[in-house]
Amino acid sequence: MVEYSTPTLDAVFHALSDPTRRAMLHRLSISERTVSELATPFNMSLAGASKHIKVLEAAGLVRRHVQGRTHICALQAARLAEAQEWLRYYEQFWEERLDDLEDILRAEDRALAEKAKHERRKGSKPKHEIKE
Amino acid sequence: MVEYSTPTLDAVFHALSDPTRRAMLHRLSISERTVSELATPFNMSLAGASKHIKVLEAAGLVRRHVQGRTHICALQAARLAEAQEWLRYYEQFWEERLDDLEDILRAEDRALAEKAKHERRKGSKPKHEIKE
DNA sequence: CTTATATTAAACCCTATGGTTGAATATAGC
DNA sequence: GCTATATTCAACCATAGGGTTTAATATAAG
């Protein structure tokens, strides 16, 4: 049985409910960033951005490691997995009524997966042999 | 390209950030309920529960149809699908982390094997490159 | 040592949130 | 029509949220 820690889910969903924070997560998915780098694109004081980062950190979605006077933030996706796990239970309820958009998305996913599969087959070689 | 309506995601994630509301959704996933039925298990005034239901409704997670003096609420899962779709983008990052973990374990295994083979030979390898 | 940079802390301002209680509305049943 | 039931509305309260500005802290660089 899957156990959900509600304090964790509370914090994660709350963290995700703000568009600034979601944008920060997205930028972190591209690469690690310092606090000021993260703050830059938002029309907001550094202190304000710092608060958002702390919310993300408190929810376990971001980890920071301090290097001198700069704080480097990195995405930590595991808690997102928990949120998705919670949502997964509800799949059965929307799968019954897939609309066109969903169909299209799924088709795209399949296409991408297929493409990736082919590329793996022909394109990518193992980098290292694992010696036994 | 998947387009996310941030007002919608804001509302959905916010709605999900409260344990009472998540519990309500779960009960609705079992069957439709009237407002008072939904309110019953929570240690809370009816008006309080009613507010929660309105938050869920505003987020598009619950639909109600009024029948005489009773309001019957039903789960509407489509918006949950949107939330999950948003989260799906991040799957690659937690899967990647698992892959990394696997790599690390495998590397450790190799290191152990090596060590065992050569007994107590000297020389330490660089642990980890920080990737950009 | 002094100054500049990166970040947080503190104090404050509004507004939103989650909760309450008590009155209002609508409908059902007698 | 009168009364009981189902639900919301309105007013209120306390606290959390998102934002600001002005220190304060820590480290880097002259």
Side-chain angles (χ1 to χ4, degrees):
Chain A
M1 186 157 194
V2 187
E3 194 79 10
Y4 296 111
S5 158
T6 92
T8 298
L9 281 181
D10 290 5
V12 169
F13 283 130
H14 170 248
L16 297 183
S17 73
D18 184 278
T20 300
R21 289 193 289 263
R22 287 198 307 276
M24 284 178 164
L25 287 180
H26 187 261
R27 299 191 67 233
L28 287 177
S29 79
I30 310 299
S31 76
E32 301 188 343
R33 321 254 176 178
T34 69
V35 169
S36 15
E37 283 168 355
L38 260 185
T40 302
F42 304 103
N43 191 22
M44 176 184 302
S45 69
L46 194 60
S50 173
K51 279 190 184 182
H52 279 299
I53 296 171
K54 284 204 293 190
V55 170
L56 290 168
E57 221 180 346
L61 298 176
V62 160
R63 142 185 66 86
R64 92 172 59 194
H65 88 275
V66 179
Q67 195 164 41
R69 61 185 164 176
T70 74
H71 297 203
I72 298 169
C73 300
L75 178 64
Q76 200 167 27
R79 289 284 163 79
L80 289 180
E82 279 179 54
Q84 217 202 27
E85 197 58 44
W86 184 89
L87 281 168
R88 232 140 81 76
Y89 166 75
Y90 293 90
E91 280 181 355
Q92 53 186 312
F93 302 104
W94 71 70
E95 276 169 358
E96 292 163 6
R97 55 195 71 178
L98 284 180
D99 61 18
D100 294 342
L101 174 61
E102 288 293 317
D103 283 341
I104 289 166
L105 291 176
R106 281 173 180 269
E108 277 176 7
D109 287 342
R110 276 197 298 277
L112 282 176
E114 204 63 16
K115 193 177 166 191
K117 203 188 245 173
H118 288 315
E119 302 211 343
R120 261 201 301 281
R121 217 174 279 146
K122 68 175 182 185
S124 97
K125 306 172 261 196
K127 291 174 194 155
H128 302 293
E129 295 275 326
I130 296 178
K131 285 182 263 188
E132 302 181 13
Chain B
M1 206 12 96
V2 187
E3 195 77 12
Y4 297 110
S5 158
T6 92
T8 298
L9 281 182
D10 291 5
V12 169
F13 282 130
H14 170 249
L16 295 183
S17 73
D18 183 278
T20 299
R21 289 192 289 262
R22 288 199 305 277
M24 284 177 164
L25 286 181
H26 187 261
R27 300 191 65 233
L28 287 177
S29 80
I30 310 298
S31 75
E32 302 189 341
R33 320 253 177 180
T34 69
V35 169
S36 14
E37 282 168 356
L38 262 184
T40 302
F42 305 103
N43 192 20
M44 175 183 305
S45 69
L46 194 61
S50 174
K51 279 191 182 180
H52 280 298
I53 295 170
K54 284 205 291 191
V55 170
L56 291 168
E57 222 180 342
L61 299 176
V62 159
R63 142 185 67 85
R64 93 171 61 194
H65 89 275
V66 180
Q67 193 165 41
R69 61 185 165 179
T70 74
H71 297 203
I72 298 170
C73 301
L75 178 65
Q76 199 166 27
R79 291 284 164 78
L80 290 179
E82 278 178 53
Q84 216 203 27
E85 199 57 44
W86 184 90
L87 281 168
R88 238 145 89 68
Y89 166 75
Y90 293 91
E91 280 181 355
Q92 55 185 311
F93 302 104
W94 69 73
E95 280 167 2
E96 186 180 285
R97 258 192 86 68
L98 289 179
D99 288 349
D100 285 350
L101 179 59
E102 238 171 78
D103 286 346
I104 289 165
L105 292 177
R106 212 172 281 134
E108 278 174 5
D109 283 347
R110 279 199 297 279
L112 282 175
E114 203 70 7
K115 194 176 170 187
K117 211 171 191 176
H118 300 304
E119 288 288 325
R120 271 190 237 124
R121 224 160 168 188
K122 275 189 178 180
S124 63
K125 295 187 271 189
K127 285 184 176 180
H128 226 46
E129 290 287 311
I130 297 177
K131 49 176 187 182
E132 173 66 13

